[in-house]
Amino acid sequence: MYWNGRVDGEELDVLRIHQVVKIMTLEELITVDFDEKKVCFVSFNSDEGVRRNSGRLGAKDGWIQVKKALSGFPIFKEDLKFYDLKFPIEVVGHDLESAHAELANIVTELKKRNFLVVLLGGGHDVAFANYSGILQYASEKSIAPKIGIINFDAHFDMREYSNGRNSGTMFLQIADICKEKNLSFDYNVFGVQKFSNTKRLFDRADSFGVKYYFAEEIRTIPNDELYSILNRNDYIHLTLCTDVFHITSAPGVSAPQTFGVNPRNALPLLKTIARYSKNLTIDVAEINPTFDYDDRTSRLMANIIYELILCHFE
């Protein structure tokens, strides 16, 4: 339904993603050859975190539009295999917590089989489930795994969660988990907007030692800063909140940004992360088709996702 598009033939040099992607259940995916170069898309069909955070609804359908945009991209690496988890993760009623737990377990199981996992949201609360899955996997390898979080986002998403989690609380949740387990909280945010975060959030980020860069600083970030994050961690959690980008490039988001980042300025950083990360897991969130003129936002993020995949497997 989502994977379809133009067909120029069946020869290897004219194939497109929709012609080669294999749609499988989790039970089938965990039997796939461990040594394959492979990526698996996992869909998170939820607006619940956005609803709880008083955002504008519609992101639950973001993954659908991204798959449609990805479908027609040509295959450049014959040995790279594409997979898609057959059923999206759903929030039953308003039980976001159970959906996150299910998603985390899926991330863990797929990482055990050496997949590059790409989660497609849904609200940005998908990042909490992704981190939880990475941590579950990494904790089986080490008592104190080093997980670096790189978040391209206009927001810190470190709001209080005493009344329950939402799409703006996940990185404070993660910080508290790290404190409880005596783990390093290595959180780095690229594209922060001054007027999209309260003073309390800036103070909280500072108190946790969060490294952040404002949107206008993206073009001048030294490569050494990025390499430092990659080198000091054994796992990289790359999380992309689509509202980091300028409203003309990404109108279809939950919180559009007038002074957002130009995608061309972010792409070199993203490609470096994808190319040099030791153990990468990705999530993409807050694509809102309801407000997306001419599928501009989903097309942008599909292009970025494919660039990340190709760079990772260079």
Side-chain angles (χ1 to χ4, degrees):
M1 179 179 179
Y2 313 114
W3 297 109
N4 55 66
R6 176 175 177 150
V7 176
D8 293 322
E10 299 299 327
E11 298 85 359
L12 293 176
D13 60 347
V14 296
L15 291 177
R16 300 173 186 272
I17 291 179
H18 74 88
Q19 293 175 270
V20 302
V21 65
K22 297 178 181 179
I23 303 169
M24 295 184 173
T25 64
L26 182 61
E27 290 74 18
E28 293 169 327
L29 286 166
I30 60 177
T31 67
V32 170
D33 183 0
F34 180 88
D35 293 321
E36 277 186 349
K37 294 180 179 179
K38 54 189 179 294
V39 57
C40 185
F41 300 106
V42 179
S43 306
F44 185 51
N45 191 41
S46 170
D47 256 338
E48 178 61 19
V50 178
R51 184 192 68 79
R52 295 184 186 185
N53 199 26
S54 301
R56 56 183 193 176
L57 301 182
K60 69 181 180 64
D61 295 324
W63 60 274
I64 297 174
Q65 298 305 116
V66 171
K67 286 183 183 179
K68 289 180 178 179
L70 280 167
S71 288
F73 288 166
I75 298 299
F76 291 108
K77 297 179 182 293
E78 296 176 13
D79 60 341
L80 175 57
K81 307 301 181 183
F82 291 85
Y83 295 89
D84 182 31
L85 182 66
K86 187 172 185 178
F87 301 108
I89 307 307
E90 305 274 358
V91 174
V92 179
H94 297 292
D95 189 2
L96 184 63
E97 291 74 12
S98 292
H100 283 173
E102 181 182 0
L103 195 52
N105 288 331
I106 289 169
V107 171
T108 300
E109 292 304 313
L110 291 176
K111 288 189 70 63
K112 287 180 181 178
R113 295 305 300 172
N114 199 33
F115 282 94
L116 170 61
V117 181
V118 179
L119 303 188
L120 305 175
H124 199 195
D125 53 283
V126 70
F128 178 74
N130 196 8
Y131 182 89
S132 299
I134 298 167
L135 181 58
Q136 286 174 187
Y137 170 77
S139 295
E140 296 179 7
K141 308 288 184 180
S142 170
I143 296 174
K146 297 177 181 178
I147 304 172
I149 306 169
I150 301 177
N151 180 23
F152 280 74
D153 199 338
H155 308 91
F156 288 115
D157 289 335
M158 297 185 72
R159 296 178 182 274
E160 297 168 359
Y161 57 97
S162 55
N163 293 324
R165 67 183 68 170
N166 61 48
S167 63
T169 65
M170 52 279 186
F171 297 110
L172 182 57
Q173 293 173 253
I174 292 169
D176 287 343
I177 289 172
C178 289
K179 183 177 180 180
E180 176 188 341
K181 295 181 178 293
N182 197 28
L183 300 174
S184 171
F185 177 59
D186 194 344
Y187 180 39
N188 308 270
V189 193
F190 294 77
V192 168
Q193 293 286 343
K194 182 176 181 179
F195 300 140
S196 296
N197 298 273
T198 62
K199 182 179 183 299
R200 178 177 293 182
L201 288 170
F202 276 101
D203 291 344
R204 180 172 292 150
D206 290 336
S207 72
F208 278 99
V210 176
K211 184 69 175 178
Y212 56 89
Y213 303 89
F214 290 103
E216 59 267 27
E217 297 177 310
I218 288 289
R219 287 182 295 177
T220 59
I221 296 172
N223 284 335
D224 287 349
E225 292 284 339
L226 202 54
Y227 291 134
S228 178
I229 302 169
L230 303 181
N231 290 334
R232 68 178 178 253
N233 289 289
D234 297 319
Y235 305 86
I236 294 295
H237 172 194
L238 175 59
T239 176
L240 307 178
C241 187
T242 309
D243 69 21
V244 73
F245 296 114
H246 192 279
I247 190 171
T248 55
S249 299
V253 297
S254 297
Q257 297 299 321
T258 305
F259 292 107
V261 172
N262 183 323
R264 288 191 178 276
N265 294 333
L267 191 57
L269 300 174
L270 290 165
K271 291 171 74 171
T272 296
I273 294 165
R275 186 175 290 116
Y276 296 111
S277 294
K278 298 170 190 171
N279 192 315
L280 179 65
T281 314
I282 302 169
D283 58 68
V284 178
E286 303 285 351
I287 300 167
N288 190 328
T290 304
F291 302 96
D292 196 14
Y293 174 73
D294 198 28
D295 295 326
R296 190 180 299 173
T297 311
S298 54
R299 290 173 187 268
L300 167 66
M301 297 314 295
N303 274 272
I304 289 175
I305 290 166
Y306 199 28
E307 287 277 16
L308 292 173
I309 293 169
L310 293 178
C311 282
H312 185 66
F313 288 103
E314 280 185 350

